[in-house]
Amino acid sequence: MSTDEERETRSTRAVPMEVLVLGFCRTGTASMRAALAELGYGNTHHIGRVMANPREVDAWNAAIDAKFHKKGTPYGREEWDGLLGDFRAVADVPGILFAAELIQAYPRAKVILTTRDPDRWWTSFRDTLLVMLDLNQTRLARWLDPHGLGKFVPFARRTLEIHLGPLDSISEGDAKRRYLEYYREIRAFVPKERMLEHEMGEGWGRLCAFLGKDVPRVPFPHKNDSTMILDGSHRQIRRIYKRAAVRILAPIVLLTAVGLAIYARGV
């Protein structure tokens, strides 16, 4: 048995790690996640998982601090299995911040690099993620939901700023330059035979050949366009406002009812 096979045999993972999707945000990663699900890989870990499970934020922040700020012990196979042990695939942030570490930890996982024209990527990124993560736009909702959105938004901004720099002052030129730098770095350390570059709109063919899967009889998924992202963000904020209104109004209604009852007795 090879060393790599021994490591996977000793692993406490629930399922093997099979695919690492290392494309940057807004390069079709949501569509790729849906495609992988169609091909039998189940749910893929991505930023939405962290949003739905804010307790993950602390663990990912610890990994970020260790790698980028030399605070604490860098994550190894055991820590990655603790975070990602239920997933056969990983995509998007925060996972792509640890591309080299995940490639080393899971040597038999195949790498998919989703790509997109830099101009189109910037337009999509600017009109979706920069809007969603605007601190002024989300201020009230974050205050009303401190353990949910209040924890997630600063974390999501942090994951993007590691590659792109401060989001509040980012320029189109700097963003596209850093975006292209990220892709050059990935191409430099991933062996060509282990990686597939998949461009938005490409379809099933080369992907299925790379993964050794039959081509499904359904169209390649198209998920998470700009309208879907913003609508989802607005719905979440509305739910926060609705819950807050219920919490605030319930005591008022109760006190009003008690007051009216006392008044009626007095009359």
Side-chain angles (χ1 to χ4, degrees):
M1 182 180 292
S2 70
T3 301
D4 289 347
E5 288 172 333
E6 288 175 356
R7 290 178 64 188
E8 294 241 351
T9 300
R10 291 197 303 266
S11 172
T12 58
R13 292 184 60 85
V15 293
M17 179 64 73
E18 299 184 67
V19 182
L20 304 173
V21 182
L22 300 182
F24 209 82
C25 313
R26 307 307 300 145
T27 62
T29 54
S31 297
M32 181 58 68
R33 297 198 310 270
L36 292 176
E38 181 66 33
L39 294 174
Y41 291 96
N43 292 328
T44 296
H45 187 281
H46 68 295
I47 190 65
R49 159 79 181 193
V50 184
M51 188 174 187
N53 298 273
R55 287 176 294 182
E56 279 196 22
V57 170
D58 293 337
W60 284 104
N61 272 330
I64 290 171
D65 288 339
K67 176 175 180 176
F68 296 99
H69 304 290
K70 310 303 180 186
K71 298 178 181 178
T73 304
Y75 277 25
R77 175 61 182 268
E78 182 178 353
E79 289 77 18
W80 293 126
D81 281 350
L83 266 176
L84 304 170
D86 294 329
F87 297 89
R88 297 179 184 272
V90 176
D92 217 307
V93 290
I96 64 171
L97 301 180
F98 303 94
E101 290 80 0
L102 293 177
I103 287 169
Q104 182 178 6
Y106 303 109
R108 292 194 289 175
K110 295 186 176 183
V111 175
I112 298 172
L113 189 63
T114 52
T115 65
R116 190 176 193 178
D117 172 78
D119 292 329
R120 297 183 64 186
W121 166 80
W122 165 251
T123 299
S124 177
F125 181 84
R126 178 198 63 201
D127 294 346
T128 55
L129 297 185
L130 288 186
V131 174
M132 282 179 59
L133 300 177
D134 185 285
L135 292 177
N136 291 322
Q137 295 288 339
T138 60
R139 189 182 305 277
L140 178 58
R142 287 185 288 115
W143 180 77
L144 291 170
D145 185 29
H147 302 297
L149 198 69
K151 196 170 187 177
F152 173 77
V153 169
F155 170 74
R157 287 175 62 93
R158 186 186 196 197
T159 65
L160 295 173
E161 289 179 339
I162 286 172
H163 283 308
L164 299 177
L167 296 185
D168 290 335
S169 58
I170 192 171
S171 69
E172 177 178 356
D174 285 343
K176 289 193 288 189
R177 176 177 57 80
R178 291 166 179 161
Y179 169 82
L180 292 172
E181 285 176 355
Y182 170 79
Y183 277 85
R184 284 194 291 270
E185 291 171 0
I186 297 295
R187 292 178 180 119
F189 67 72
V190 181
K192 290 184 178 180
E193 65 274 10
R194 189 179 170 185
M195 183 173 74
L196 172 72
E197 295 199 27
H198 188 276
E199 188 172 2
M200 285 188 70
E202 186 174 336
W204 289 112
R206 292 196 314 124
L207 174 66
C208 290
F210 177 66
L211 296 175
K213 301 286 187 179
D214 293 332
V215 175
R217 297 182 178 180
V218 297
F220 194 90
H222 178 66
K223 301 287 185 181
N224 219 14
D225 62 19
S226 299
T227 301
M228 289 172 61
I229 286 182
L230 293 177
D231 284 350
S233 176
H234 293 155
R235 284 196 300 271
Q236 181 187 22
I237 290 175
R238 285 197 296 270
R239 286 195 295 268
I240 291 171
Y241 290 160
K242 184 177 180 179
R243 289 197 300 267
V246 170
R247 290 197 304 268
I248 293 169
L249 290 176
I252 295 175
V253 171
L254 178 60
L255 289 174
T256 301
V258 170
L260 289 173
I262 294 172
Y263 175 77
R265 287 186 179 183
V267 172

